[in-house]
Each structure stands twice: as structure tokens, then as C-alpha cells.
Amino acid sequence: MTTQEETTISAVISILVENESGVLARVIGLFSGRGYNIESLTVAPVEESRHQSRINIVTSGTPQVIEQIKAQVGRLVPVYRVSDLTTLGPHVAREMALVKVVSSGESRTEALRIAEAFRARAVDTTATSFVFELTGATDKLDSFIDLMRPLGLAEVSRTGVAAIVRGPRTI
Amino acid sequence: MNATPNLNDLKPNARAAAGDVVLSGAEVLLRVLVDQGVEVVFGYPGGAVLPIYDALFRQNAIRHVLVRHEQAAVHAAEAYARSTGKVGVVLVTSGPGATNAVTGLVDALMDSIPVVCFSGQVGVPLIGTDAFQEADTTGITRPATKHNYLVRRAGDLARVVHEAFHIARSGRPGPVLVDLPKNLTVGPAPYQPASRAPHPSYRPRTEPDREAVARAVAAMKGAKRPLFYTGGGIINSGPRASEALGRLVRMTGFPCTSTLMGLGAFPTTDRQFLGMLGMHGTYEANLATHGCDVLVALGARFDDRVTGRLDAFSPDSFKIHADIDPSQINKIVQVDVPVLGDAGRIIEMMIEEWARQSEIPDSAALAQWWQQIDAWRGIRSLHFEQDMTPSAIIRPQHAVRRLYELAMETGRDTYVSTEVGQHQMWAAQHFQFDRPNRWLTSGGLGTMGYGLPAAVGAQIAHPDALVIDIAGEASTLMNIQELGTIAQYRLPVKLFILNNQYMGMVRQWQELLHGSRYSESYSAALPDFVRLAESFHARGMRATCVGELDDVIRAMLAEPGAVVADISVAQDENCYPMIPSGAAHNQMLLGPEQDGEVKVSAEGRMLV
């Protein structure tokens, strides 16, 4: 790259792909092979009738690297469209977390109180544990998990980011 | 790679109820190959592809060339493709057959060569069981190909094979692998002709945007120190693109340089050609690249061998980049006007725009630029002194020069392949190419052992042409087994070995960067190449001094069959001029007298 000291930015890349075997491996293999970051990744079929899946990747790099990522992904044969949502205008990015908290007494009550404040749902409850389900932006999930840490945080499972552009525009 | 045949191979083809002969998957494959215009397949049989070999045996439309190693099959197919403009086709078995082909596939990927490789695979029910000669071929070759397929259903076979050819040859060309489980080639499969419908997701753009071309041409019209920097994309676009390039260069009067892969697109003997640019390019080409004010890159990708130190690459130029692959734009060098599309179409549109735009170019500035270039030319950076005493040691540059001159005397259409290393650079510098598709070399991947199988592919494609592999003794030993293929098909390939008993380029770098500690770069225990040739039913020849060189070259060129010419050349010769790693274009070393001045930075030392 011509200039070394360019600022690193975060980007949400959404990729519409042909839903065929190996397509995810092509995309993530390209990221690892060319040394691009993957901070989170989600993939699921979105247009069953047209055999299309959508991959959302949160990545970071210089603006030049983000452009390269788009161009490199775009030339994969089963890729229909690739968009950087961060440059398309405002977008909604959400993820879901399942958070297991094992505690009793004061901590347990406190965990439940914080969960309510975050609008997390207790989807599983035992005498000694909760599993909270929480949906929101990544930083909201991060702060919830941080708050649970001293209250008996035992396990976390997160989906990674699903994202979409606000307003009538599509990718 | 042979394995015991499976008894299922002997089963007669499935027959439909109505009594019509239903084709087997193998027969469908061959029929689609015929549809795609395939005449030659380079391959090697084995258990998983026996049904395909059986179908090949029972037809005459497609010729199979049996190589001696699967890597060689791919290189032969690459050279076939590069020298004809057609798609090269490879057929290998599962497991080791496919893994041996990987180097060739990556080579084709790096140099954008259209190749379709068919690999056998264990039957679908056995996939994932660690079966005999099973490998995850699509997994292994995913980053080695432009695209690949594992055909799991017989109904997909014909469509996938047609599609593989379309993807290999269109857009930026490249290798495509189709993995064929054995049960699919044995069992019945429906035949389909090629679909005319566009591919749902793969739609490369070939037609350039007129507005972008107009902006590029406006910059060219205003240039005072312009330069065309042309690459392999022009060769890939076809002979029409090279012809158009010739018109564009002449109508503009601009100087033209070329990458290694682009040699021959513009005649290298033309006055407007400055020679190759980059690490071992000419002084005038590199200084012009450094000093130009408008750089017009056509079908080239700013490879590190071309750019040298990036922050000093052509620092003051307005950059135009024409490429068919959007991912090449701004990948290495930020450009001012990107033009996406087929290089040939872009050049044709540039010609139209040049005629249409009324602005008068600054001919005084251009004349001054040419004066400057001629002054750089006066340095004669490719010059060498050959002692012509008959007993004198042959300098490798002289050997290539004489080979070129004597080959031209024959008047024959000449194709040159190379291995990788010093000899490759000397061939690029001293052999001249006035037409495209005659120069076959491994550029991006730098694959030692490319040249001999490439000569096989070129000679198969052009049986009456003169095909020469300019080789080094170390490289050519990497695929020397192809002398067997050459013998079997009576190919009159000339293997011209510049034998300095070293991996010369490794030795050169060790000399310049590692205190002349020649770690493992000496070619010990070399074979007697003359007797090696004879054992493979070829003629062996040897020249050990200048007095013998011309006679050996003449005898080699006159010999109707294959020849291995072992040319003993100076062992300590280095390839100049040279831009040391991490240096800029205006910091070239012109010869050994400057070696002491090499100050390779710590960063430069880390570069390859």
C-alpha cells in the first residue's frame, strides 16, 4: 500500500451469494488468504426460491483495504452483489446474544434487574442460573456482558452482526 | 497414479427403456468438450478417471497427450492456451493426480491463463471416508483457481462443464477445476448443449465506459512525458488487441514499455519500444517510468517486480489504469483514471477518442522527452562484452542473442518458453518478439520447471513451428521427465540449456544480499545432458566455448527432431540491469562494477 499510516475504519460488508456448497469457504478463504480481518460473520439463506444467501461480515482496515475487500469478493463467481453498508448511508446492525449467568442471592437479583434495564429476556431459568436473550447493537451487547461479568457470567453465545440499510434502498 | 480398476468400470452403459443409448457421464463430458471446440487434452490416467480414459479410447475427435507428471499437464495446457488463444484442457486422476496439478493451476491463476482441469474423484458415496486416492480437491484448489466445482449430480454435469469453459475464458481468464466423482462418469448422465442464458451471478464487464476513456485520452493529449506500460492483458485479449496497440502507439508517438507477460504485444524491435520495465528491465524503460508525467497502464497489474519501491514508483505521473479486473484497480498503486474493460476494446476506444478529441498534443515536449529517452538509451544497459576468442567462455547473453539471430535466419515462426531464473530474464532481454503469443513464461508464480512442458504444449498446438525452451540446468531438471512426452509424440522441441551449474538467480541474490554465501545453490551432480537426451531418443549437443556456439545452435535448428543443447556459460554472470529489492527505478544497478554500491535496506532484504 502506498501510505502506511492510513486510518483503520470498521465496515459492515453484506454479500449476496448463490446458495451452493463451498460458497462460505470461498468468501472466508479469501479473507484469510489475503490477510483481511473478520470481526464477525453471519450467514443464512435469505431468498430460498432463488437459492440466495446473505453473508454479513464486520471487518476493519484502511479505506483502500475495504475497497479491495469489496473488489476481491465481487469477483468470486457465485457472488451476486457486495456492498459496504457503512458507505451506503445509515444502516441498522444488530446481533443476538445468549448469556448464561450462574449466581445466587444478591448477584442473582442484580443480574435480573440489569437484564430488565437492557430488555433482555430470561429464556431459561433454574434455581442457580439464567440464560438471557438479548438483541441489539454490538456495543449494547458488549456492555451487558461486561455488567454480567461480576454477577456470575458463565458462558456467552453470540450470532454476529446482521445488517441492512435504512430507508427504501437495498444493496 | 494407477490403481486397480474397479469392476464397475466394466458395466455396460445404462440403457433407457425405449432402447435409446443413454450416454455415460464420461461420454457426456467428451461431447461437451467437442462442443467447446476442444481438440487436445493433456493428462495422465488413474483409477478415478478410467471411465473417461475408456471413453477417450473409443473416439477420435479429441486427442489426448500423455504427459509424465500432472504438473506438466497443466503447464503444457497453459502454453497451448497462451500460444493459441484457446482454452487449455487438463485431465488428471483423484488424490495425487489433483495435488500434483496444483502448482500448474496457481501458475495459470497468477498469469491469467484460461485452463480447464478435470480431476477424477472417488464416488460420491465414498467422499469423506478417506478412501484410496481421495483428496479434498475442491478444498485444496479453491485458492488455486478462478473457480472450481465438485459435480455431485449427473444432471449437473453438462451444464457445469460448459460453464467451466465460459468462466475460464471470459473476463480475466484463469484456471477452472471440475472434480468428477467416478460414479458420475460411469453412470448415465443427460447431455445438454451450452446454455445461451447469461450466468446468474458471474458477469464480467468487457465493454469500457466511454466517459472514462475520454478522460484518459484527454490526459494523454495533454502529456509532455507520456509512457505506455503494457501487460499480459493485451495478449489475453487476443491478436486484435496487439494490432490495435501498435496503431495507438504509432498514432500517439508515445514510448512503450512492457511487463514480462506482455512481451510481443508491441514489437520489441520497434524504435518506440523501450524494452521491459521492472527489476531486470532496461535503464530507459525504468527511468521513463520514473520520470513520465502520464503513465498509461494497459492490461498490467503493477506487480512488485515492476514497481520496485512503491513510494518512489513513477512519483509525478498522472496514472491511467485499464484492466478487466476491478480488484486490480488501486490494489497497489492509486490511479487517477481507472478504465474497466477488455484491454483490446479499451485500446480501440482510445484510438477513436484520440482522433475525436481536437486538442493538439504538445509535440515539442514529446520530442524533448524522446531526446531524454534516447540519452538513457545511450547507456546501453543491456550491453555486454563477449570475448570472441574461440576458446573463450560463453556469456549467457551472447548465447541468447545468437540463438535469436540464428533462429530468425531460419525464417520460421518461433515460440520461446522459459524456465525461471537468470536465463528467463536474459531471454526476455535479448530474444525479440515482434508478435504476440510467441513468448511463454511463468511470470507471477515464477515456477521453475515451467518451460519444458510449456514447449510440449506449444509444439502440440503448432506442429510446424520452431519451439525452443530457453532453460537453466537447475530449473529444467524440475520437469525433465517431459523428455519422455517429447519422445513419444516425436515433438521437435529444442531444449536450450544455459548451464552455469548454479541456481543462478539464487546465487546472484546470495552474492548481492548474503555475503556470497552460496547456500545450497550449486547444481551438484548434474546429469550428462547429452547422454540424457540420447536416453530419451533425442539428439544431445554441447557447446563449451564461443567457438562451438554457433555451430551447435545451427545444428540444433537444422535437426528435424528433439534436441537438448547443453550450453556451458559463465558461472559468475549476474543478470543486469537490476533494481535491488526495496529500491526505486532511478536507483538501478547497471553492472557488476556497481555491486559494491548495493545498499539494500533492512526492509528490502525482507522482500522476495
Side-chain angles (χ1 to χ4, degrees), chain B residues 191-214:
Chain B
Y191 163 79
Q192 290 162 15
S195 161
R196 293 186 175 277
H199 190 278
S201 56
Y202 170 77
R203 291 176 190 179
R205 173 175 189 165
T206 54
E207 188 61 15
D209 173 31
R210 169 75 64 174
E211 197 268 332
V213 174

Side-chain angles (χ1 to χ4, degrees), chain A residues 1-2 4 6 18 20-23 25-27 29 34 64 68 71-72 74-80, chain B residues 142 146-149 152 163 167 172 199-202 310-311 325-334:
Chain A
M1 306 297 139
T2 32
Q4 299 93 352
E6 264 189 295
E18 176 78 19
E20 62 180 28
S21 83
V23 65
R26 278 182 215 288
V27 173
R34 292 189 181 267
Q64 198 184 353
Q68 262 297 299
Q72 293 288 354
R75 69 179 189 155
L76 295 176
V77 168
V79 168
Y80 286 94
Chain B
R142 207 172 280 129
K146 181 175 175 184
H147 193 53
N148 65 12
Y149 301 87
R152 288 177 171 273
E163 193 176 295
I167 287 169
R172 179 180 179 181
H199 190 278
S201 56
Y202 170 77
L310 268 179
D311 58 3
D325 177 359
S327 73
Q328 300 311 302
I329 306 291
N330 296 333
K331 183 182 76 173
I332 305 289
V333 170
Q334 293 287 325

Side-chain angles (χ1 to χ4, degrees), chain B residues 10 79 130 144 177 209 224 237 288 320-321 347 351 356 363-364:
Chain B
L10 306 174
D130 301 321
L177 178 133
D209 173 31
K224 295 183 187 307
S237 177
I320 296 159
H321 187 189
I347 294 167
I351 292 172
R356 199 185 62 79
S363 54

Side-chain angles (χ1 to χ4, degrees), chain B residues 103-125:
Chain B
T103 301
L105 293 172
V106 181
D107 192 90
L109 183 70
M110 294 285 271
D111 286 344
S112 312
I113 311 292
V115 166
V116 175
C117 177
F118 297 98
S119 54
Q121 181 55 279
V122 300
V124 170

Side-chain angles (χ1 to χ4, degrees), chain B residues 531-569:
Chain B
R531 286 164 62 197
L532 181 69
E534 284 161 0
S535 74
F536 276 104
H537 320 289
R539 280 282 307 281
M541 300 177 184
R542 178 172 288 129
T544 56
C545 57
V546 167
E548 295 169 356
L549 179 66
D550 281 16
D551 289 344
V552 165
I553 295 175
R554 283 203 178 89
M556 175 182 90
L557 297 176
E559 170 66 36
V563 175
V564 178
D566 180 11
I567 313 295
S568 303
V569 297

